Amino acid sequence: MAVSSAAKIDHLRELPRLARISPQLFELLFGGCKAERYAAGQHLFVQEDVADRIYGVIAGTVEISIYSPGGQKLVANIELAQSLIGEIAVLDGGPRTATARCLSDCELVSLSRAQLFDRIEKHPPLARAMIELLCARLRWVSGELGDQAFLGIEARLAKRLLFLSGTMSDSSGWIPISQSELAEFLGATRESVNKTLNDWRSRGIIAIRRGGLHIDNPGALRHVAEAEDD
């Protein structure tokens, strides 16, 4: 069944919603844990590492990335306050599925795998929260796979900018991200991203400055994001 235009727009407005647990459950999970500070650029863990801890973000921004065997980088997500990081490998005991790096100075709390299961057993609502979190992650990944398969570079870039505007923009609406970093988000070349952004700038849809972008016409960008690749 075809999706209506209104439904598509509603979906796009929900893009900034991230997979995170409620403040009450976050406190229940990490209550009593000492907050630790991490500098911008510091890694929490690297893809294929042995998993020993789950992290909770109190403040700051953490980038989750996947690397190919040849070293090509794909940014999978950005995590903000109340987000959990590293839950998949800690829950199943396998290696890390991605690399986590602090984009800004961060304040985090963490639990060992044993502590996590102990708290889940003592507080059953945490089990439901973890299931819902994993389902949200799966829905996100499914959506990303669909975009990669069915959307062109313009629609994917528009959706990504709308998402980043809702998660990373400053008080004046500027998104602190470079064109190279945007290319890493999309698994695209910097040249293709640069060409599209310059076209949008000439049409008054966005503004560009060194290390940042601003959405000047959100409606036009949403229109691009709705367009499916022929």
Side-chain angles (χ1 to χ4, degrees):
M1 183 172 61
V3 178
S4 69
S5 176
K8 287 182 178 180
I9 293 174
D10 288 341
H11 169 68
L12 292 172
R13 287 172 178 164
E14 292 177 357
L15 281 175
R17 294 176 58 189
L18 300 178
R20 52 165 68 111
I21 62 177
S22 70
Q24 295 78 14
L25 290 175
F26 189 91
E27 175 60 29
L28 189 62
L29 183 60
F30 292 106
C33 295
K34 182 180 179 180
E36 300 177 346
R37 297 185 182 278
Y38 292 79
Q42 188 171 352
H43 285 81
L44 302 182
F45 51 79
V46 176
Q47 188 173 325
E48 300 298 335
D49 276 354
V50 175
D52 56 350
R53 303 195 75 76
I54 182 173
Y55 296 86
V57 182
I58 296 176
T61 306
V62 180
E63 174 190 88
I64 308 298
S65 302
I66 301 170
Y67 289 84
S68 72
Q72 185 177 358
K73 177 182 175 182
L74 175 66
V75 177
N77 211 342
I78 296 292
E79 302 294 352
L80 305 173
Q82 307 301 147
S83 294
L84 300 187
I85 297 173
E87 74 283 348
I88 294 175
V90 172
L91 286 170
D92 70 7
R96 296 293 189 188
T97 60
T99 294
R101 180 177 68 92
C102 297
L103 287 181
S104 66
D105 292 343
C106 293
E107 187 175 359
L108 307 171
V109 284
S110 67
L111 292 171
S112 68
R113 187 167 190 255
Q115 290 173 318
L116 172 64
F117 281 107
D118 179 65
R119 297 198 177 195
I120 289 175
E121 290 175 1
K122 290 179 178 178
H123 306 288
L126 288 175
R128 178 174 178 175
M130 297 301 292
I131 292 171
E132 291 176 347
L133 178 72
L134 291 174
C135 289
R137 300 279 195 221
L138 181 58
R139 289 179 183 277
W140 171 267
V141 171
S142 296
E144 291 292 288
L145 288 174
D147 287 352
Q148 289 282 347
F150 303 123
L151 298 183
I153 180 65
E154 289 194 359
R156 290 194 290 126
L157 181 55
K159 289 183 70 173
R160 183 61 64 183
L161 286 178
L162 289 168
F163 169 78
L164 293 174
S165 177
T167 57
M168 291 179 60
S169 61
D170 61 21
S171 59
S172 59
W174 282 92
I175 306 168
I177 193 168
S178 69
Q179 295 183 29
S180 295
E181 290 169 330
L182 272 174
E184 290 174 345
F185 259 112
L186 301 174
T189 64
R190 186 186 184 282
E191 290 75 17
S192 62
V193 169
N194 178 265
K195 179 180 179 181
T196 302
L197 293 177
N198 283 332
D199 174 58
W200 290 347
R201 177 170 59 178
S202 69
R203 293 159 56 191
I205 297 176
I206 64 170
I208 301 175
R209 68 185 184 189
R210 185 176 180 85
L213 298 99
H214 186 280
I215 300 176
D216 293 340
N217 190 337
L221 203 61
R222 288 193 183 95
H223 180 73
V224 175
E226 294 168 33
E228 294 186 355
D229 199 28
D230 293 334

